[in-house]
Amino acid sequence: MSGEAGPGTGGPEIEGAEIEGPQIAAPGAADPKAGGLEIRGLEVRYGPVRALRGVHLAVPRGAVAAVLGANGAGKTTLLRAVSGTLRFHRGAITSGTVAFGGSRLDGVPAAAVVRRGVVQVPEGRRVFARMTVAENLRAGALGVPGRRAAAARERVLELFPVLAERAHQRAGLLSGGEQQMLAIGRALMAGPSLLLLDEPTLGLAPLMAARIADTVRQINAQGTSVLLVEQNAAMALALAERAYVLEVGEVTLSGPAAELAASDEVRRRYLGIGAPETDRPVGTDPGPGHERHERTRLARWTA
Amino acid sequence: MAVFLELLVNGISVGAVYALIALGFVVIFKATEVVNFTHASLLLAGGYVIARLHPLIGFWAALAAGIAAAALVGALVEFLILRRAHVGSRGVLAIVTIGVDILLTTELTRRIGTEVLALGDPWGDRVLRLGPVTVAETRVVALAVAATLIVAFLLAFKFTGWGVAMRAAAEDAETAALMGVRLGRVSLSAWAVAGALAAVAAMFLCVFPTPGLDRGTAAAAMKAFPAAILGGLDSTTGALAGGLIVGVTETLMSGYQSELAFLGRGIGDAAPFLVMIVILLLRPSGLFGTKEPARV
Ligand SMILES: Nc1ncnc2c1ncn2[C@@H]1O[C@H](COP(=O)(O)OP(=O)(O)OP(=O)(O)O)[C@@H](O)[C@H]1O
Ligand SMILES: [Mg+2]
């Protein structure tokens, strides 16, 4: 990752394993590389409920950033604020800004956000169960011109050959893993420059989760930036260059993923690992050995 | 037997017209989950424009104008009222549409007064004889046009981008928006299409053997409600089947009224609603309606 967003743009940096208090303004607000996502001082409310407060976050172009956090921390809310879907939940941005590629996204309707190249894969997959797989993919391309869709379709079927096999099957009849592939493939049909993923491995068996992780890596290698929300912290930290920890609506930790993976706090609370260990940091091993991931997957519920 | 065949053919033709109305009803429900009670007044508006304009610009141009006008009224109701009515429940929105319907119908019936307006159609009172069976030409045309429109519509729904957007929005509006579907456009187009279909139906409801457009026409349009509901509010196939069932039942009941005298006069008008109730008791989501599918 070149063109570092600059220290501080993503809220407090970690120093060792300390959790710092939130900072109100981002110091040294260096511009991210053109084309990136830049969230500043974001506050979101659902009526009287304040779900996010003073959130700073950056996804430089071409990068993968991860957001970790417990249930109810505000991860989905953060993605809704970017994709313009807060209004479906009677929520609203009450202060702060969201910008992508230098232009503001806050206040932009969801469909227009898609045309700007930012596409969200919703939590819980939400495939159109009554439509076929092929129709779901077609729906994914509705927001963009036809030429772009044809090219995207080939890319999607290459990434997920199983979708070609099941093209005429109802999406509701696919397995959970297949539905997740369809949900990601459908989002890719719009040819996004930034993909927002909300817990893509939730409820999937470890092997399928690992496949999804590989796919995210592949999608990123093809030039799409990714903002990944995950409770599977080990997987997210292995994928991301940069990570953020959300707690009760605030970013309490942020920094390079490898550093977060090594921090005691994160290890204890999100990776489910006790005292500091001497083995390799999680973030450095995305290889096929997933025993570690399975272990943390079980352990994170105790966090 | 000839009587029965005649009644059957007439019933199917009337049923096809009801199906057109029910189809518009279903399209709006699918796209926006609103039960649209404004439908009868959209139909009346379309018919009224045709009736007033045909002496000036001829039947075909008046028909086009009527279709456009009803589409426009539908779009306006969506854009000016429903889009702005930020009420939580679909039930309240349905009541809003009742209010709009009463306003529009009151104004239109005031304009129509006690007149019976002819539509100036080219078919007049000509009949076709097929062996022992005699059918009004208007009925044959209605059947052909309605069938064509319905087939075109079902194909568009299945295969065009518009249809996919419509179905996506119907199934999960938020996710459709995440796919770049402009929900406002989807719902606007649904209302416009429904208006246009209603105007075509209005024309067929007001030509021979009906004397013309009068203040009672809106009531005739009401029969499309049981058609849509018994077919299943969210099913286009259901609209078609429901329309035919209602049309045939009504025509047969009216045709054999003397034999059915013990049921009382006006059984033809009541029959569609009776059929609806019986079907809903047996199948609560209508013949083809989707039971809310369980989501994982
Ligand atoms: N529609 C809503 N109305 C009111 N409060 C809401 C709404 N949606 C979410 N919240 C609240 O906002 C907070 C953040 O919720 P959010 O769904 O963003 O959390 P999350 O981190 O995605 O959790 P999970 O891991 O369970 O998906 C929670 O306290 C939740 O109760
Ligand atoms: Mg969530």
Side-chain angles (χ1 to χ4, degrees), chain B residues 109-116 214-215:
Chain B
T109 48
R110 190 185 62 78
R111 283 168 175 273
I112 295 166
T114 53
E115 282 179 88
V116 176
D214 62 24
R215 51 201 317 167

Side-chain angles (χ1 to χ4, degrees), chain A residues 218-243:
Chain A
Q218 232 173 316
I219 291 166
N220 178 244
Q222 293 171 358
T224 304
S225 324
V226 177
L227 178 56
L228 172 66
V229 160
E230 261 296 346
Q231 292 204 28
N232 186 340
M235 181 206 124
L237 290 174
L239 276 173
E241 283 115 69
R242 214 182 155 71

Side-chain angles (χ1 to χ4, degrees), chain A residues 58-76:
Chain A
V59 186
R61 186 156 149 198
V64 178
V67 175
L68 313 178
N71 291 105
K75 306 181 296 298
T76 299

Side-chain angles (χ1 to χ4, degrees), chain A residues 258 261-262 267 271 273 277-287 289-293:
Chain A
R267 292 166 74 90
L271 296 174
I273 300 165
E277 286 176 38
T278 49
D279 57 358
R280 51 173 164 53
V282 173
T284 59
D285 182 24
H290 283 283
E291 331 77 27
R292 176 66 156 283
H293 294 210

Side-chain angles (χ1 to χ4, degrees), chain A residues 75-76 123 198-199:
Chain A
K75 306 181 296 298
T76 299
E123 186 173 16
D198 197 343
E199 308 209 26

Side-chain angles (χ1 to χ4, degrees), chain A residues 3 10 14 112 124-125 129 172 266:
Chain A
I14 62 158
R125 330 193 216 294
V266 171

Side-chain angles (χ1 to χ4, degrees), chain A residues 80 83 85 87-90 110-111 114-115 119-120 122 124 126-131 135 138-140 142-143 186-187, chain B residues 87-88 158-161 164-165 167-168 171-183 234 290 292-293 295-296:
Chain A
R80 283 179 188 151
S83 64
T85 47
R87 68 178 187 85
F88 289 93
H89 304 271
R90 296 164 181 274
V114 172
R115 285 193 297 285
V119 181
Q120 183 187 346
R126 309 262 292 257
V127 297
F128 298 115
R130 289 179 228 154
M131 311 206 304
E135 287 171 337
R138 193 163 175 206
L142 285 173
R186 184 180 62 176
Chain B
V87 293
K158 184 87 188 128
F159 296 112
T160 67
V164 175
R167 284 185 287 145
E171 187 168 335
D172 182 345
E174 180 182 4
T175 303
L178 283 178
M179 302 296 107
V181 172
R182 285 172 252 196
L183 297 175
D234 63 352
T290 24
E292 202 38 56
R295 287 218 187 87
V296 198

